[in-house]
Amino acid sequence: MLRTVNSLFPRAFAAIAALAVIIVPREAVAWNRAGHMVSGAIAYSDLRTRDPAALQRVISLLWTHPAYAARWLPLITAHGAADHDIALFMYAARWPDDTRDEPQYDHPTWHYTNFPVLIAGDTTRPPAAITGDVVTETAHNLSVLRDPDALDADKAIAIAWVLHLVGDIHQPLHATNLFSSRWPQGDRGGNLFFIRATATSQPINLHSFWDGLIIGSDDIRSTMNRATALRAARTSASFTSQLALLAPLGWARDESLPLARRWAYADGTFEGGVSRETAAVLPASYAANAQRLAEERVTLAGYRMAALLAKAMKPAR
């Protein structure tokens, strides 16, 4: 059985530990690049309906992004000018992962937070922690968008980060770190928790399995079609109560954390391997449940992106 740190320690310590980022290097790609493109397309389509004026302001700002002329426009032009605006959102949403080799824009620790998850009866405790995570940086980039003195190019960069980080927060394993005697330094959000999808599959880590649940191809037409299908299956009206909640901390702590505990770690009933050689086969119903949850989370992320951008684009009074 799994439980969070909150149930094991006094309230004061739990609040500190739960809000902290554990000092552990880790991979930090939530969904794959194509998955981020899907959520970006959902955000574009919803914002077009929700607030066309805000949408045009966002598009105008993205034209000033340092990647627009050199990187995005050639790709968009090659695909087809008719899809320029939605494609712009899609490339902006994946941009933080595309710049991993560019020190000016690469911020590895921005993509995740670590709410500790512990195994009941295990005495392992998380190591010392520091602040600074996906919750903090989402709020920071939103503040740039609201700053009347910020340069347009800086706002464009902030838009790309908001599109990306909101997607990150909604991937359950970007909010958690499992600690136990098998992973005394944490499993790095599932990066050190090895599984096989089937008995004959190659071993992969749990984080990668979840990242790839939305779509495998980053072909722009395929990702657009996937976004359309997800929006049709889960309209914004089906998320009315969730769309009233626009605090990134709540998305991570109150949503992704318990979802990871329940579905990614199966409430402690599924023990992964500590190496590729010891990778465990997923339970029979695991993949179907994970697929359903991943589709719901990435769709909700897209709608929340639209809501945040609509709010941020409102003229200052």
Side-chain angles (χ1 to χ4, degrees), residues 145-161:
L145 292 183
R146 294 189 295 265
D147 182 356
D149 297 322
L151 298 175
D152 283 357
D154 290 336
K155 289 189 176 185
I157 290 171
I159 288 169
W161 275 108

Side-chain angles (χ1 to χ4, degrees), residues 27 29 36 45 63 68 191 230 262 292 297 313 317:
E27 296 297 322
V29 177
H36 278 290
S45 298
W63 290 341
Y68 176 72
N191 278 289
L230 289 174
R262 171 66 183 90
R292 173 191 55 79
R297 293 296 284 169
M313 293 297 106
R317 294 181 179 178

Side-chain angles (χ1 to χ4, degrees), residues 13 60 74 94 99 134 148 157 159 167 170 176 188 194 202 226 257 288 290 295 301:
F13 177 82
S60 296
R94 62 173 276 176
T99 56
V134 66
I157 290 171
I159 288 169
H170 285 74
T176 61
R188 292 167 52 191
F194 291 93
Q202 291 297 312
R226 184 73 164 121
L257 170 61
E295 291 175 355

Side-chain angles (χ1 to χ4, degrees), residues 6 13 26 36-37 39 62 78 80 117 179 195 204 209 213 216 221 224 226 262 269:
N6 301 63
F13 177 82
R26 62 190 280 186
H36 278 290
M37 293 172 75
S39 60
L62 286 174
V117 175
F179 293 90
I195 62 99
I204 59 173
F209 173 82
L213 286 171
R221 177 53 58 189
M224 285 181 185
R226 184 73 164 121
R262 171 66 183 90
T269 62

Side-chain angles (χ1 to χ4, degrees), residues 100 108 128 133 153 213 219 254:
R100 291 304 180 114
D133 59 12
L213 286 171
D219 170 75
D254 304 329

Side-chain angles (χ1 to χ4, degrees), residues 72-81:
W72 299 340
L73 187 56
L75 293 170
I76 295 170
T77 301
H79 170 73

Side-chain angles (χ1 to χ4, degrees), residues 22-26 114 116-118 124-127 176-193 265:
I22 307 302
I23 308 175
V24 183
R26 62 190 280 186
N114 288 303
V117 175
L118 308 179
T124 304
R125 297 294 179 265
T176 61
N177 205 350
L178 175 66
F179 293 90
S180 72
S181 58
R182 301 176 71 208
W183 291 282
Q185 300 301 313
D187 77 338
R188 292 167 52 191
N191 278 289
L192 300 179
F193 189 113
Y265 295 118

